[in-house]
Amino acid sequence: MGDSQLLELVRQSIVTGGVALLPVLAVGFAVAIVAGLMQAATGIHEPMVGLVPRLVAMGLVLFITLPWMVERLVELFRTAAIGS
């Protein structure tokens, strides 16, 4: 495997990993913003109030998108193993 092929494989791995994690991270960010706004509006500054909804939402999105994520990663590994 040449340097250019290895560099392309690393680039493709980083992009695929980022795309696979994007739904979970985006939902976590959105829920954190909403929870922060709610905490600011109500004056409740308890860390668990922001943490629990974020973890639940991220867990649900992970459960829903896990087959898609695995499919993307298997496709990446298959491409790396074949070498094309």
Side-chain angles (χ1 to χ4, degrees):
M1 178 179 283
D3 289 343
S4 63
Q5 289 176 329
L6 181 61
L7 194 62
E8 177 62 26
L9 181 62
V10 169
R11 185 198 66 79
Q12 191 176 13
S13 300
I14 291 171
V15 169
T16 302
V19 169
L21 289 175
L22 187 64
V24 176
L25 294 176
V27 166
F29 181 70
V31 171
I33 294 291
V34 171
L37 289 173
M38 294 299 290
Q39 284 180 330
T42 60
I44 300 173
H45 296 293
E46 181 67 31
M48 294 302 286
V49 174
L51 179 67
V52 172
R54 186 172 45 224
L55 288 177
V56 169
M58 290 174 75
L60 285 173
V61 170
L62 182 63
F63 181 73
I64 292 169
T65 61
L66 193 61
W68 175 77
M69 288 179 176
V70 169
E71 182 180 318
R72 297 281 303 211
L73 294 175
V74 165
E75 179 182 321
L76 174 68
F77 291 140
R78 198 173 285 146
T79 302
I82 294 171
S84 41

